[in-house]
Amino acid sequence: MRFRPVLLVLFLLPLLWGALSLLRAGAAYGVPDCPGLQLHADGESSPGHMREGDRCALSYDTATGRSTGMSTYEQLKFAQEVKRRSLGREGALFVLYGATGIGIVFAATRKRRP
């Protein structure tokens, strides 16, 4: 009976991590974020939300004015969806693992009537 708190923590942490991952998956929706310099179709930099046709300079050198990698709106949107699905699967598995483990601990450590 004294091992119950330790065992519960072993399953409670994955349960909480899974819930956090599911929340992150829900938040990864909408307009993709440009981690670098955002450019319109005409090549001008543009602040604000990305729109279709925009590009993103992923790594931009301010000294030379050159970018080392470019992504389109569609590529960033696809990457966002892949990340969202991955977080959803990870969250669901961790929640399932944690909930199942907590259930097993309670079932195994409960007092039995003679």
Side-chain angles (χ1 to χ4, degrees), residues 2-87:
R2 63 182 181 194
F3 295 112
R4 182 187 241 180
V6 174
L7 291 173
L8 285 177
V9 169
L10 288 175
F11 293 111
L12 188 60
L13 291 176
L15 179 71
L16 293 175
W17 183 260
L20 182 65
S21 293
L22 287 174
L23 288 173
R24 287 177 56 206
Y29 185 75
V31 178
D33 244 356
C34 176
L37 180 67
Q38 183 176 324
L39 303 169
H40 276 306
D42 59 0
E44 293 291 321
S45 66
S46 68
H49 296 295
M50 285 191 79
R51 291 180 221 109
E52 290 196 38
D54 286 356
R55 293 174 294 146
C56 180
L58 300 174
S59 179
Y60 184 75
D61 185 9
T62 54
T64 62
R66 294 183 180 187
S67 60
T68 57
M70 298 290 283
S71 282
T72 63
Y73 174 87
E74 291 78 18
Q75 289 170 329
L76 288 174
K77 188 71 173 170
F78 178 74
Q80 180 185 27
E81 290 299 319
V82 168
K83 178 75 172 178
R84 191 174 107 150
R85 278 184 260 142
S86 173
L87 284 170

